[in-house]
Amino acid sequence: MSEFKAGFVESIGNTPLIRLNAASASTGCEIFGKAEFLNPGGSVKDRAAWWMIREAEKKGELRPGGTVVEGTAGNTGIGLAHICNARGYQCVIYMPDNQSREKVDILRTLGAEVRVVPTVPYKDDNNYQKQAGRYAATLDHAIWANQFDNTANLLAHYQSTGPEIWRDTDQTISAFVTSVGTGGTLAGVSQYLKEQNQDVQIVLADCMGSALYSYVSTGEAIMSEGPSITEGIGNSRVTDNFAEAQVDWAVQVPDQAMVDVIYHLLRDEGWFLGSSSGINVCGAIQVANRLGPGHTIVTILSDTGSKYQSRLFNREWMAAQNLSIPS
């Protein structure tokens, strides 16, 4: 056996780039999705989860038998729960009650203690992130992962995702496009790619009901009309991670455009992806149309659609959101 992975954390990263055939053909660009759903925990958030735990271990803040507490829309919590099992930690997850039930079920199957709390804005003291931070402070030998403002998150993408994209595009990438929840992916990848070539365009693809398109475009974080059915992306504030992103410009993606792309990818190209991936692919197409043919564009395929079957892939639920499923 000349090559193998020694465990869960060693299996994180080095995901392939996948050519998105229809998007590439329609724009005259080469559009690639980085297949982050192939991480062992099933999403791009495995990287941030491991780097946050790894940095806490290095600092002596987290020791065997300790507890990791986090507020999450789901995927970061799933990554943390996997790694906690692999590293011998307890895991407590706070989630807002507007997320899909599949994520809660997965977390509980993994052994995490899940506390589903009412969805309130970040400014409210009962916001799920703030509740996680307060609870962690009451425990001995515990950390609050704090993915939104813990810059170990962006470090994960500066040290792994960015270099992988630069390598696998043979240093020919023209633009990198992704949506933002915490901002870690965009910040880390943008920093690395800009160090290699300042001409690489870094673009935020923002869902509706978020303030980040406005922030990039005008400098003011003003919420756009929403809400969006997407989960885990968009934000009402500039996090410590997003503040470090080197963004050139931004695009907005309505939910219906995202739905159309998600169902096309499923039925015509075989890819079963979640809503944030749909926002990302729509964003990449907008960027390709703006730049013109002949460019190489990379985006993130964040996770699969399996966590969203009760919503995004449920005809009755979608109809209640006034969204149509393409025939």
Side-chain angles (χ1 to χ4, degrees):
M1 298 179 63
S2 60
E3 183 177 346
F4 64 92
K5 304 296 184 182
F8 186 93
V9 298
E10 289 82 1
S11 303
I12 295 171
N14 282 307
T15 55
L17 291 179
I18 296 170
R19 186 178 189 269
L20 301 177
N21 293 324
S24 298
S26 68
T27 61
C29 290
E30 290 296 301
I31 299 180
F32 296 95
K34 189 156 175 60
E36 290 296 282
F37 59 85
L38 293 178
N39 281 305
S43 85
V44 64
K45 296 297 187 178
D46 286 2
R47 297 184 192 253
W50 169 226
W51 256 257
M52 290 188 296
I53 286 179
R54 187 179 75 174
E55 293 303 304
E57 289 177 346
K58 287 180 179 179
K59 296 174 183 176
E61 298 169 349
L62 187 60
R63 298 185 295 276
T67 302
V68 176
V69 184
E70 181 59 320
T72 170
N75 278 330
T76 302
I78 291 168
L80 288 170
H82 276 289
I83 296 166
C84 284
N85 287 345
R87 307 288 286 184
Y89 305 125
Q90 302 299 310
C91 186
V92 180
I93 299 297
Y94 283 77
M95 284 184 68
D97 62 4
N98 63 350
Q99 304 300 297
S100 67
R101 68 170 183 262
E102 290 91 340
K103 295 177 183 176
V104 177
D105 292 343
I106 291 169
L107 282 162
R108 288 179 172 151
T109 298
L110 291 170
E113 179 184 341
V114 184
R115 301 182 177 187
V116 180
V117 300
T119 302
V120 295
Y122 181 77
K123 64 183 179 181
D124 192 310
D125 283 343
N126 287 319
N127 177 270
Y128 69 103
Q129 298 168 47
K130 293 180 178 178
Q131 288 197 54
R134 287 198 301 270
Y135 179 67
T138 69
L139 302 177
D140 294 327
H141 311 300
I143 65 161
W144 173 33
N146 191 18
Q147 60 174 322
F148 290 86
D149 296 311
N150 180 349
T151 54
N153 179 346
L154 76 83
L155 185 65
H157 300 286
Y158 176 81
Q159 293 183 338
S160 68
T161 318
E164 291 169 24
I165 291 171
W166 184 247
R167 177 195 69 200
D168 292 344
T169 58
D170 293 329
Q171 306 177 10
T172 64
I173 181 171
S174 309
F176 175 72
V177 189
T178 191
S179 54
V180 159
T182 66
T185 304
L186 187 60
V189 172
S190 69
Q191 288 183 7
Y192 182 83
L193 293 179
K194 286 292 192 180
E195 285 181 3
Q196 312 314 308
N197 180 1
Q198 276 291 324
D199 292 334
V200 176
Q201 294 292 288
I202 305 296
V203 184
L204 164 69
D206 209 22
C207 61
M208 303 305 293
S210 169
L212 299 182
Y213 172 83
S214 169
Y215 177 75
V216 170
S217 302
T218 71
E220 294 186 68
I222 300 172
M223 298 287 283
S224 63
E225 183 179 351
S228 170
I229 69 164
T230 55
E231 299 181 25
I233 60 172
N235 211 318
S236 62
R237 69 184 181 97
V238 177
T239 66
D240 286 356
N241 280 291
F242 186 67
E244 299 298 321
Q246 299 181 28
V247 186
D248 292 296
W249 43 288
V251 298
Q252 281 183 307
V253 180
D255 277 357
Q256 188 61 61
M258 173 271 292
V259 171
D260 292 346
V261 161
I262 282 295
Y263 275 84
H264 160 73
L265 287 166
L266 175 64
R267 293 171 175 169
D268 298 335
E269 298 194 49
W271 298 113
F272 182 37
L273 300 170
S275 54
S276 58
S277 299
I279 295 287
N280 290 346
V281 175
C282 285
I285 292 169
Q286 287 192 47
V287 171
N289 286 329
R290 175 165 164 174
L291 295 181
H295 293 88
T296 298
I297 298 164
V298 176
T299 191
I300 298 291
L301 305 180
S302 310
D303 64 358
T304 71
S306 60
K307 304 184 188 80
Y308 311 96
Q309 289 176 278
S310 63
R311 296 189 174 195
L312 180 59
F313 297 98
N314 180 315
R315 187 174 295 275
E316 291 75 22
W317 189 88
M318 291 286 284
Q321 314 310 311
N322 296 314
L323 293 169
S324 61
I325 293 176
S327 60

